[in-house]
Structures are given as C-alpha cells and as structure tokens.
Amino acid sequence: MTRTETLLPDAPGLARAAQILRTGGLVAFPTETVYGLGGDARNSRAVAGIYEAKGRPRFNPLIVHVADLAMAETFAVFDSRARALAAAFWPGPLTLVLPLRPDTGLSPLVTAELDTVAIRVPAHPVAQALIRAFGGPLAAPSANPSGRVSPTRAEHVAQGLSGRIAAILDGGPCAVGVESTILGLVGEAKLLRPGGVAMEEIEARIGPVALHQPGEALTAPGQLASHYAPAAALSLNCGPEPDAVHLGFGPGAEGIVRVTLNLSPAGSLTEAAANLFHMLREADRLAGPKGRITAAPIPDHGIGRAINDRLARAAAPRPQDGSA
Ligand code: TXA
Ligand code: MG
C-alpha cells in the first residue's frame, strides 16, 4: 500500500505532482473528459505501474497526452486529415490513432508494441499545467480499476485507486463527462470509440468516417462489450419501474418513482454526458449490488452516441476479466 496524497491544482501541488511523475510515480489528474491516471510515457516502470494499479490487461495500449500539436508531432506522423482535426478540436476531447514515429523514446508498453500511437491534447487547464510542469508525455488511461465506471470527480478516483497510486490532483468535476472520441487515421478514417467530439463534427471536416464493425478485430479495447460495469443490473430504454432506480432524461422524469436521477431535466445531451458517470455511480449505490437500474432512452446523435455506447457497455454481460 502507498499513502495516496491529495494535491490541490496550485503551484505547490503541480510541482509535487511533476516531481512524483519524474521519479516514475503515478498521479491521477483531471481532464475535460474524465480523470486520467498519469505516468511518464517514456518510463516502462511507470507504465507497468499504471497497468498494475488498474488491474488492466497488458494488451490494451494507452493514450499519450501532450501539451500541443508540436509535442504530438514528435511522436506521431500527421497527414492532412490529422492536421485539420487537430486544428479544429485540439485542445479537446479527440484522440487520434496515427503511425508511430520510430525512436521517440516512448515505452513499448504504452503502444502495446503496435506501430501506431493514440495521442491527444487535453483542454483542461490542470492537465495542461501538469504536462507543462512535468515537461513530457503522459500515458493516461481513465483513473478507475479496469472494467469499472470511469471517474469524473477526484473522490471517484480515491474510491477506486486509493492506496494504489502516489497522488490525486483534485480539479473538481469534469465538464464533458465521457471519454474522448477515438479516431483511427491509419488508412481509412475509422471511429474506434464515440466520445466527446461528435462524429458529425468530424465528418464535416474530413468527410465520411467508417464505423467499427462488430466482429472486426479488436483495435481499441474500449470496444470490449462489458465495461463501465455497475454492480446492480442495468436495463436500457426503459421507463421508471417500481423497485428500480431510474436514470431519467428530459422534463417530467421526476417524482414518478421513489428514486429518479435525471441526467438532464432540460433534455440537454451535453449536460447528460457530464452527469452520466456520477449518476451511474449514485444509482449503483442506491440500488445496491442485488438491485436494478433502469435508464431512459437517450437520443442517438451528437454526444448522445457516446452516452448510449457507455450505457450499452455498462448493461452488457460481464466477462471475468475487465478492460480499460
Ligand atoms: O478521455 C479519454 O480519452 C481518457 C482521458 C483520461 O484522456 N482516457 C481514456 O483512456 O479513456 P483509456 O485507456 O481508458 O482508453 C484508451 C483507449 C483504449 O480503448 C485503447 O485500446 C485505445 O484507446 N487505444 C490506445 N492506443 C491505441 C492504438 N494504438 N490503436 C487503437 N486503439 C488504441
Ligand atoms: Mg477507460
């Protein structure tokens, strides 16, 4: 067991976090999507520590977080599509999977020895400040035990990883609330995971994007069926039911049953995404491990696509081993 320090995102807190990272330690930090579990992407001991702290299968590669496009270009080869998307959406919730440059010094554990690398420039000011204070690339998966609900608050990180990591930088709740969109740009453009940037917005810049086909080889383990699993059973596209905790959406969901958590009373998909993981945790706590959660239908466009993707995985039958 390690004693996990909670750090404020002020100058002393950031300096301490950077010092921990330089010695190969792990620091959870806020991004605009979810909290990440950061380690030096060039240090195999740090990266192995990330897999170990999460209990994550080794074959899952990690996203490299950098401060800006210039830093990203030292690790990955950008074509005109990648440049256009970086100009439009970075910093922000878009991860690009691109050809890896040779001899970049990245640990082979980060890319799981693939010849591609997933890279993103987070927009959160604390993530930006941390990368700059550390002065290098951070490998960072979501800061949760493998297969469980991703953390959107520092206390969620502490609940899952306290005693297993050196520190948590507390930057408050995450604004976007679902993970970044992952887009493969090796050959044809392919959506590997829907997320914070809507596919419609990407297609508006680079034209049609292929969807991952079920049964196709697994390229992003976020595609594993079961993920984000609550302990309670979750049913989708439901109305409220007696004895279930209901995750509602839109006006009028309150007061129908004993417990309703409304993802967005106003019917805003952006607000629903920001509330999703916290309310899923709350619903799980209220329902108890033998209980049930029902979730209202969510419109399947824009960031709603990412919400439905996460809900579908949370409701899927669970394998023995977890994923990201
Ligand atoms: O919003 C996010 O993306 C958050 C924050 C912390 O930045 N991070 C995150 O990381 O969700 P993680 O590790 O939970 O999910 C990363 C996904 C995995 O599904 C992984 O398989 C995929 O990225 N990935 C990483 N490298 C890849 C590669 N070279 N090719 C294809 N998929 C890759
Ligand atoms: Mg994850």
Side-chain angles (χ1 to χ4, degrees), residues 31 33-36 54 56 60-63 65 95 97 110-111 114 116-118 120 140-142 178-180 182 192-193 219-223 324:
T31 80
T33 59
V34 300
Y35 274 72
K54 283 181 62 88
R56 178 175 186 153
N60 285 10
L62 303 176
I63 297 174
H65 295 65
T95 296
V97 174
V110 171
T111 52
L114 298 170
T116 56
V117 61
R120 96 172 183 97
S142 50
V178 292
E179 295 87 344
S180 59
I182 305 182
L192 300 178
R193 177 178 74 184
T219 46
Q223 297 165 353

Side-chain angles (χ1 to χ4, degrees), residues 66-90:
V66 295
D68 52 30
L69 176 62
M71 196 166 164
E73 293 206 58
T74 64
F75 299 107
V77 181
F78 280 66
D79 62 13
S80 58
R81 299 169 301 176
R83 266 176 229 286
L85 293 173
F89 301 112
W90 280 358

Side-chain angles (χ1 to χ4, degrees), residues 70-194:
M71 196 166 164
E73 293 206 58
T74 64
F75 299 107
V77 181
F78 280 66
D79 62 13
S80 58
R81 299 169 301 176
R83 266 176 229 286
L85 293 173
F89 301 112
W90 280 358
L94 176 68
T95 296
L96 299 176
V97 174
L98 299 170
L100 176 67
R101 278 189 197 282
D103 305 318
T104 58
L106 284 184
S107 162
L109 293 178
V110 171
T111 52
E113 302 190 60
L114 298 170
D115 54 7
T116 56
V117 61
I119 197 152
R120 96 172 183 97
V121 176
H124 197 294
V126 176
Q128 279 282 335
L130 180 65
I131 296 166
R132 289 178 198 279
F134 169 59
L138 288 181
S142 50
N144 52 284
S146 189
R148 312 309 296 192
V149 179
S150 297
T152 52
R153 301 178 180 211
E155 57 266 32
H156 300 162
V157 180
Q159 283 157 18
L161 296 178
S162 196
R164 305 178 68 90
I165 62 177
I168 303 171
L169 260 174
D170 187 349
C174 302
V176 175
V178 292
E179 295 87 344
S180 59
T181 302
I182 305 182
L183 187 74
L185 284 179
V186 181
E188 73 168 343
K190 195 179 261 190
L191 184 71
L192 300 178
R193 177 178 74 184

Side-chain angles (χ1 to χ4, degrees), residues 223-290:
Q223 297 165 353
L224 289 176
S226 172
H227 201 81
Y228 311 102
L234 172 64
S235 311
L236 305 182
N237 300 313
C238 292
E241 291 173 22
D243 304 321
V245 176
H246 187 60
L247 278 178
F249 178 77
E254 266 85 23
I256 305 169
V257 282
R258 195 169 46 90
V259 198
T260 295
L261 300 171
N262 198 330
L263 291 168
S264 172
S268 148
L269 290 172
T270 306
E271 182 184 30
N275 284 331
L276 179 67
F277 290 143
H278 182 65
M279 288 194 174
L280 200 50
R281 283 168 186 269
E282 274 299 291
D284 202 23
R285 191 177 62 76
L286 292 166
K290 296 203 161 53

